[in-house]
């Protein structure tokens, strides 16, 4: 049970998951020589939180190996525990913290409050789960979370017969009155502002009495790889999902058998999905490293020169961060891959680019930071939906780069970046972890960049500041040490490892 302004106990029996106090301003380290670093990072937030939800709804226990331990995943764990799900630590499978053993309850419990923090996966994945619980469940979160769009989650559940009280709001807070079951059926939604609206419904749909037939009707559907990630995760647990298109709100034209995915190809028709009712299998799942969190580290090679090698790159993946090996060469990098090692080597300069980033919006802050340091203008489009992420990322990136002397113009669905000589100053993060990443990238090339509240990176990578200092300084200090970094100079070969809790 978590603290809420609307429904709260006087204590929090599961521990405090509220945001930490902002850290003192953090001086982004400047690179003074080429890099020669090897980077290893913890698990994917997107995969961890999807697998937590599926494990909670499964018909048998599950084990998540090498899950991410961060604020977003902690919020998901504590919410599911408040639903009656048992989530216990198990000996670590890797270097990144304990595994989790998840045992679903006989029935999900309500009469609790979910603290969503600023996590879109919590606020959009758990309301359908709450509808399967018994009793009211209040959803609330950080102040910034109350600005994130939730109308599609609310309206879709209402269309499925779920009782929700939102007092006329289309965002947090609201209350889901679970009855222990959802009939399911066919609905049409507009997921133009976030693919999470689709994923949230698909994750729980096999537990609906009639399953779900879902059609998207809207101007766009961003971040399609995240929906593919959801479908693959469902299929791996024996759920039958059909993914394709429709022309009149009927069953999707693609086909799927349990464990495989084949998608329809008619781009003129509306995207649609069908999930058959049935059990969700328990599973042992190894969580891939977070490739989106690799973005600033790999981008650093272009800014400072030299090379950065990422270890643990999956052979195949649905993560949008995998597109970095396609995007970074556009800026002038050389990318090589050998087994699970991907190496990015910087070129003589950073080139400007024209890029449609509609499938990888979460990579935008790092890629825009690179564009601000390029030798020619860049246009990055297809990312209008990131105005609704942790902050309005288009406005935030333009404001912060311009504050340091840059010239960035907001477009309807992107940014036009005209590189200018930059100077030091305070880089505001807006409580957005990826804005902090962007400020750190800029700071590699610009003296006296001060990143406000670097602690916001705890959302998906609590060790970021320590890892970044190791990257730049050549320190071999453990990632779990204080954020002071070590001695040495860039150009030293360094292995960077994000450790985590081990007990």
């Amino acid at each position: 049970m978590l603290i809420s302004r609307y429904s709260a106990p006087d204590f929090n029996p599961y521990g405090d998951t509220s945001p930490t106090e902002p850290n003192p301003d953090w001086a982004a380290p400047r690179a003074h020589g080429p890099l020669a670093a090897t980077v290893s990072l913890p698990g994917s937030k997107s995969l961890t939180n999807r697998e937590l939800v599926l494990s909670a709804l499964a018909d048998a226990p599950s084990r998540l190996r090498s899950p991410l331990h961060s604020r977003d995943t902690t919020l998901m764990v504590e919410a599911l525990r408040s639903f009656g799900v048992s989530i216990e630590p198990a000996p670590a499978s890797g270097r990144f913290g304990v595994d989790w053993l998840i045992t679903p309850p006989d029935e999900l419990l309500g009469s609790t409050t979910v603290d969503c923090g600023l996590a879109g996966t919590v606020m959009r994945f758990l309301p359908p789960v709450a509808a399967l619980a018994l009793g009211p469940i209040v959803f609330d979160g950080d102040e910034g979370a109350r600005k994130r769009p939730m109308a599609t989650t609310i309206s879709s559940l209402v269309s499925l017969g779920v009782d929700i009280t939102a007092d006329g709001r289309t965002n947090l807070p609201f209350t889901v009155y679970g009855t222990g079951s959802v009939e399911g059926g066919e609905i049409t939604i507009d997921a133009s502002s976030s693919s999470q609206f689709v994923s949230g419904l698909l994750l729980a749909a096999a537990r609906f009495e009639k399953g779900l037939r879902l059609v998207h009707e809207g101007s766009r559907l961003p971040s399609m790889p995240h929906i593919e990630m959801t479908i693959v995760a469902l299929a791996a647990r024996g759920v039958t999902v059909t993914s394709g298109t429709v022309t009149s709100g009927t069953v999707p034209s693609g086909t799927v058998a349990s464990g495989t995915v084949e998608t329809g190809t008619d781009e003129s028709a509306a995207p649609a999905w069908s999930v058959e009712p049935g059990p969700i299998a328990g599973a042992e799942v190894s969580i891939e490293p977070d490739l989106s969190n690799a973005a600033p580290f790999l981008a650093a090679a272009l800014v400072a020169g030299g090379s950065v090698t990422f270890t643990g790159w999956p052979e195949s993946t649905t993560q949008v961060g995998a597109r970095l090996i396609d995007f970074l060469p556009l800026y002038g990098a050389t990318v090589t891959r050998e087994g699970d090692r991907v190496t990015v080597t910087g070129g003589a300069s950073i080139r400007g680019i024209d890029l449609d980033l509609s499938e990888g919006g979460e990579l935008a802050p790092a890629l825009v930071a690179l564009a601000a340091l390029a030798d020619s203008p860049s246009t990055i489009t297809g990312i209008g939906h990131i105005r609704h992420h942790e902050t309005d990322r288009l406005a935030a990136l333009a404001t912060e780069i311009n504050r340091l002397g840059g010239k960035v113009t907001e477009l309807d669905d992107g940014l036009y970046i005209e590189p200018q000589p930059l100077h030091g100053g305070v880089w505001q993060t807006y409580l957005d972890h990826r804005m902090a990443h962007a400020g750190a990238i800029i700071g590699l090339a610009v003296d006296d960049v001060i990143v406000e509240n670097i602690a916001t990176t705890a959302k998906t990578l609590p060790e970021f500041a320590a890892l970044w200092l190791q990257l730049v300084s050549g320190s071999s200090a453990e990632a779990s040490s204080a954020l002071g970094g070590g001695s040495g100079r860039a150009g030293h070969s360094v292995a960077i490892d994000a450790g985590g809790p081990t007990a």
Side-chain angles (χ1 to χ4, degrees):
M1 194 169 292
L2 298 167
I3 298 170
S4 165
R5 284 175 287 272
Y6 289 82
S7 168
D10 293 330
F11 67 100
N12 179 0
Y14 294 112
D16 186 9
T17 58
S18 61
T20 57
E21 289 299 316
N23 274 5
D25 292 342
W26 183 74
R30 174 76 188 266
H32 295 289
L35 306 177
T38 300
V39 179
S40 179
L41 294 181
S44 160
K45 177 264 293 183
S46 296
L47 286 169
T48 299
N49 275 359
R50 280 167 172 77
E51 294 295 349
L52 282 168
V53 171
L54 291 176
S55 298
L57 295 173
D59 61 0
S62 298
R63 179 170 185 155
L64 302 189
R65 298 185 180 277
S66 301
L68 175 65
H69 296 272
S70 73
R71 188 181 183 224
D72 275 17
T73 59
T74 296
L75 289 166
M76 182 67 82
V77 166
E78 297 304 333
L80 291 173
R81 283 175 174 163
S82 75
F83 292 0
V85 179
S86 171
I87 303 177
E88 298 296 333
S93 296
R95 302 182 299 276
F96 308 127
V98 297
D99 293 355
W100 279 324
L101 292 176
I102 302 105
T103 304
D106 291 335
E107 60 182 30
L108 295 166
L109 306 176
S111 301
T112 189
T113 297
V114 171
D115 178 5
C116 300
L118 201 53
T121 52
V122 177
M123 68 182 73
R124 292 166 181 154
F125 290 2
L126 288 188
V129 179
L132 294 167
L134 285 170
I137 297 178
V138 176
F139 287 84
D140 203 355
D142 296 353
E143 192 63 32
R146 293 182 166 200
K147 300 175 183 177
R148 301 190 71 173
M150 291 296 296
T152 300
T153 293
I154 295 169
S155 63
S156 62
L157 290 177
V158 169
S159 295
L160 290 169
V162 179
D163 186 9
I164 295 181
T165 298
D167 294 334
R169 289 181 295 269
T170 57
N171 43 34
L172 297 175
F174 58 82
T175 302
V176 176
Y177 293 89
T179 60
S181 65
V182 176
E183 182 177 7
E186 183 171 331
I187 61 171
T188 298
I189 68 170
D190 182 354
S192 299
S193 60
S194 177
S195 65
Q196 290 175 346
F197 295 127
V198 174
S199 288
L201 289 165
L202 296 182
L203 287 168
R207 291 286 304 274
F208 299 169
E209 293 177 7
K210 295 181 179 178
L212 180 69
R213 286 180 291 279
L214 179 64
V215 178
H216 162 70
E217 289 187 352
S219 58
R220 62 179 185 269
L221 185 57
S223 302
M224 282 292 287
H226 280 114
I227 298 175
E228 181 72 6
M229 177 186 289
T230 300
I231 293 170
V232 169
L234 284 163
R237 289 175 178 261
V239 177
T240 300
V241 185
T242 302
S243 175
T245 57
V246 299
T247 56
S248 60
T250 56
V251 177
S253 60
T255 60
V256 141
S258 297
T260 63
V261 178
E262 301 174 15
T263 305
T265 58
D266 183 358
E267 295 182 358
S268 66
W273 306 266
S274 180
V275 180
E276 295 300 317
I280 299 171
E284 288 203 5
V285 181
S286 294
I287 303 297
E288 301 167 1
D290 196 315
L291 303 187
S292 293
N293 277 340
F297 296 94
L298 297 179
L302 286 94
V303 179
S307 64
V308 175
T309 297
F310 185 95
T311 65
W313 198 277
E315 182 177 354
S316 63
T317 182
T318 53
Q319 291 190 64
V320 298
R323 295 299 307 278
L324 289 166
I325 63 177
D326 303 314
F327 295 149
L328 294 179
L330 302 176
Y331 289 91
T334 299
V335 177
T336 59
R337 180 171 180 178
E338 184 176 350
D340 73 342
R341 298 168 64 88
V342 168
T343 299
V344 175
T345 303
S349 64
I350 301 173
R351 298 196 296 256
I353 63 169
D354 289 327
L355 180 64
D356 179 351
L357 198 56
S358 56
E359 290 195 350
E362 66 188 48
L363 304 177
L367 298 182
V368 169
L370 278 179
L373 301 172
D375 59 9
S376 58
S378 295
T379 303
I380 300 178
T381 57
I383 51 175
H385 61 285
I386 72 172
R387 292 188 184 278
H388 307 295
H389 282 192
E390 283 77 353
T391 188
D392 180 342
R393 285 181 174 165
L394 296 185
L397 287 164
T399 297
E400 296 311 308
I401 293 172
N402 292 346
R403 190 198 308 277
L404 301 186
K407 187 176 181 182
V408 179
T409 303
E410 293 184 50
L411 309 175
D412 286 344
D413 71 337
L415 295 170
Y416 178 60
I417 304 104
E418 300 173 81
Q420 306 289 322
L422 300 180
H423 56 73
V426 175
W427 177 277
Q428 300 289 336
T429 63
Y430 306 85
L431 298 176
D432 186 336
H433 57 140
R434 303 212 189 278
M435 283 298 297
H437 296 170
I441 293 169
I442 297 284
L444 287 174
V446 179
D447 288 326
D448 302 320
V449 172
I450 306 299
V451 178
E452 170 266 341
N453 190 18
I454 195 66
T456 195
T457 55
K459 187 176 195 295
T460 58
L461 184 58
E463 307 89 349
F464 175 80
L467 294 172
W468 196 256
L469 288 168
Q470 292 176 46
L471 177 80
V472 178
S473 70
S475 166
S476 59
E478 292 296 322
S480 57
S481 65
L483 301 186
S487 60
R489 293 179 58 83
H492 294 186
S493 179
V494 54
I496 301 171
D497 185 17
T502 58

